[in-house]
Amino acid sequence: ISAVLALSSRGWLSYALHGKHLMTPLSYEALDFAATFGSEQCPEGLVAIAQNTLRILTVDRLGDLFNSSVIPLRYTARKMCPVAGDLLIIESDHNEYNEAERNALAALGPEAMAAQQNPSSGAGMELDGQAAPPPPPPPS
């Protein structure tokens, strides 16, 4: 198959398959330079430079409509929702504070941070105006 490789912030491959002209984005990091390449192990491939590294590539499964990219998440993904052609990912973690709450706790000092991170200690808690009893000792 004859094809044209266009290099920009993302590589694009333009080719004809089954009588249709297709333009497919490459699921690969940005390439700086590229040329055709052939060997016994890779009869139809590309040799390219990406970030000062020599790469040998082959394009498999032309015509498949699949593209992926890795996006690091800050928290655990909990749900995905398709919205207007985009994919929204809802993230959260158990017992995590958002940045504003973390900054407010940090301003109160390390004691407040420790009390918030371990709320089951019971230290300093009051019930109906009376001090809470200390937690029972661990079993021996």
Side-chain angles (χ1 to χ4, degrees):
I1 293 178
S2 295
V4 174
L5 177 65
L7 300 179
S8 63
S9 58
R10 165 179 242 164
W12 290 83
L13 195 61
S14 175
Y15 57 96
L17 184 68
H18 305 300
K20 293 183 180 179
H21 180 264
L22 301 169
M23 188 95 162
T24 305
L26 297 179
S27 294
Y28 202 74
E29 60 189 280
L31 302 174
D32 299 321
F33 303 98
T36 59
F37 176 79
S39 71
E40 289 180 18
Q41 293 85 10
C42 180
E44 292 182 351
L46 299 168
V47 62
I49 296 176
Q51 298 179 356
N52 294 327
T53 305
L54 187 66
R55 315 277 173 118
I56 297 175
L57 312 167
T58 181
V59 180
D60 296 325
R61 299 183 313 270
L62 281 176
D64 284 0
L65 297 177
F66 181 80
N67 191 17
S68 69
S69 34
V70 175
I71 299 172
L73 300 177
R74 187 170 177 180
Y75 301 109
T76 304
R78 299 294 180 184
K79 193 168 190 170
M80 295 186 290
C81 306
V83 176
D86 291 329
L87 184 64
L88 298 179
I89 299 176
I90 299 170
E91 307 172 46
S92 70
D93 270 344
H94 184 68
N95 285 336
E96 274 294 321
Y97 296 105
N98 65 33
E99 190 173 346
E101 290 171 333
R102 249 181 292 164
N103 290 341
L105 287 172
L108 293 175
E111 296 83 19
M113 287 289 276
Q116 288 294 326
Q117 289 175 355
N118 189 10
S120 62
S121 67
M125 293 178 58
E126 289 187 289
L127 300 173
D128 295 329
Q130 297 178 355
S140 51

